[in-house]
């Protein structure tokens, strides 16, 4: 199975880049399953139902979220009827929506998609390690699901690496999101889980984490907020992780960064084009 995960979409630049590139990527690499983090898709803050529909229309099988999940208050309502939209699992009990979903791919394979949030330099949610352990115990690889993808939305690389090793051999892939900057540590861990600390964002990289540079620079200099953070509006890039999964075991065979667009070192999963 060929799986592609794309990092946090930031604003219109990110949405346009993804919607434009995704149909071609699906054809070029014969992708079986696509997951996109959409927590910053609506003007940098949260997601609207129209954007969820647009991403699914463009070819996403699932959309994950993070600390910005409910910045657009309408998400508290529409998340209940959008069964491919997944918010962090470790929000308090009673939070609308779901933290994990079993989704059928075009070829009929069942993929468990889990979203969880770290707790270091982040809002203190429930323990993500125990929450994920409970999910993986209830739905084991190749028993309950053909593949399992975890979007671990966290700030600290230590917490992300610890999560990778915690689930190594029990999930197909752990992809880090939230920092919006791609890391160069993608690999398959010893027991077969593909891992990257952060896949990077989809958006305008001529920016501070996708936002127009003026306000972030001004806040560092003066410590006084002057205006809202606005997404940068230049041409967007697409950044993610490509994972090839062994259909027999559900574990990763190899993985590679996918990065296309301006202001970003290009990368391509060459193992799919050789
Ligand atoms: Fe984000
Ligand atoms: Fe985030």
């Amino acid at each position: 199975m060929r799986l592609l995960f794309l990092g946090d979409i930031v604003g219109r630049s990110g949405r346009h880049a993804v919607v434009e590139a995704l149909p071609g990527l699906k054809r070029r690499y014969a992708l079986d399953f696509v997951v996109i983090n959409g927590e910053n898709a609506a003007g940098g803050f949260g997601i609207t139902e129209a954007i969820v529909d647009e991403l699914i229309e463009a070819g996403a099988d699932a959309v994950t979220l993070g600390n910005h999940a409910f910045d657009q208050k309408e998400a508290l309502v529409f998340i209940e009827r959008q069964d491919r939209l997944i918010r962090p699992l470790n929000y308090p009990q009673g939070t609308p929506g779901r933290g994990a979903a079993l989704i059928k791919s075009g070829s009929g394979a069942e993929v468990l998609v889990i979203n969880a949030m770290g707790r270091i330099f982040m809002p203190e949610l429930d323990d993500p390690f125990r929450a994920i352990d409970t999910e993986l115990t209830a739905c084991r690889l190749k028993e309950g699901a053909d593949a399992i993808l975890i979007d671990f939305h966290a700030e600290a690389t230590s917490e992300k690496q610890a999560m990778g090793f915690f689930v190594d051999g029990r999930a197909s892939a752990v992809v880090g999101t939230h920092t919006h900057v791609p890391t160069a540590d993608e690999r398959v861990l010893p027991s077969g889980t593909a891992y990257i600390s952060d896949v990077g964002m989809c958006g305008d990289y001529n920016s501070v984490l996708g936002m127009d540079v003026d306000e972030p620079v001004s806040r560092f200099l003066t410590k006084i907020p002057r205006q809202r953070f606005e997404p940068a509006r230049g041409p967007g890039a697409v950044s993610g992780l490509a994972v090839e999964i062994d259909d027999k075991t559900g574990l990763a065979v190899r993985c590679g960064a996918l990065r296309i667009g301006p202001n970003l070192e290009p990368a391509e999963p060459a193992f799919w084009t050789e």
Side-chain angles (χ1 to χ4, degrees):
M1 182 189 302
R2 291 178 169 194
L3 187 148
L4 176 67
F5 181 89
L6 298 179
D8 311 29
I9 294 181
V10 183
R12 190 170 303 164
S13 295
R15 292 200 315 270
H16 282 180
V18 167
V19 166
E20 208 164 277
L22 191 51
L25 292 172
K26 287 188 83 163
R27 277 195 304 274
R28 176 170 165 78
Y29 298 124
L31 298 175
D32 297 297
F33 203 81
V34 177
V35 182
I36 308 176
N37 185 299
E39 70 145 6
N40 309 104
F45 298 91
I47 193 162
T48 63
E49 188 161 33
I51 294 173
V52 176
D53 289 337
E54 184 186 23
L55 296 177
I56 288 167
E57 180 72 20
D61 294 285
V63 176
T64 52
L65 294 165
N67 52 307
H68 292 290
F70 299 111
D71 285 1
Q72 305 292 325
K73 294 300 166 222
E74 59 170 293
L76 288 162
V77 176
F78 73 71
I79 197 168
E80 293 290 356
R81 59 177 175 254
Q82 287 284 351
D83 50 14
R84 292 169 182 264
L85 183 61
I86 302 155
R87 49 91 175 144
L89 178 68
N90 47 336
Y91 268 112
Q93 211 172 14
T95 302
R98 66 208 65 69
L102 195 60
I103 297 172
K104 202 178 276 259
S105 78
S107 57
E110 305 254 31
V111 182
L112 179 68
V113 181
I114 303 174
N115 186 200
M117 220 160 90
R119 297 194 294 184
I120 298 178
F121 309 126
M122 303 280 284
E124 280 268 320
L125 301 186
D126 295 344
D127 179 350
F129 290 86
R130 285 187 176 77
I132 284 180
D133 192 52
T134 300
E135 288 297 321
L136 296 181
T137 303
C139 183
R140 291 181 194 278
L141 202 51
K142 292 316 289 181
E143 289 175 25
D146 295 298
I148 299 175
L149 174 103
I150 299 170
D151 169 355
F152 191 39
H153 196 79
E155 181 78 39
T157 45
S158 58
E159 196 177 17
K160 296 186 191 189
Q161 289 187 338
M163 182 62 79
F165 282 99
F166 180 62
V167 305
D168 187 19
R170 297 191 288 160
S172 315
V174 173
V175 291
T177 57
H178 176 69
T179 69
H180 293 199
V181 178
T183 56
D185 61 340
E186 71 273 15
R187 65 199 152 125
V188 176
L189 299 177
S191 298
T193 298
Y195 174 83
I196 187 168
S197 293
D198 206 294
V199 296
M201 64 160 186
C202 297
D204 178 2
Y205 274 79
N206 203 3
S207 67
V208 176
L209 308 186
M211 296 295 167
D212 186 70
V213 299
D214 290 350
E215 180 61 17
V217 171
S218 159
R219 285 199 200 182
F220 279 109
L221 289 172
T222 68
K223 299 295 170 191
I224 300 167
R226 278 163 209 265
Q227 56 192 48
R228 274 174 54 95
F229 289 122
E230 293 288 345
R233 294 194 163 239
V238 166
S239 188
L241 187 73
V243 184
E244 185 172 322
I245 296 165
D246 181 342
D247 293 337
K248 285 197 287 295
T249 63
L251 292 167
V253 181
R254 44 197 171 174
C255 67
L258 174 83
R259 294 191 296 265
I260 43 176
N263 306 312
L264 186 65
E265 192 64 34
E268 179 180 40
F271 51 84
W272 284 345
T273 50
E274 278 155 6

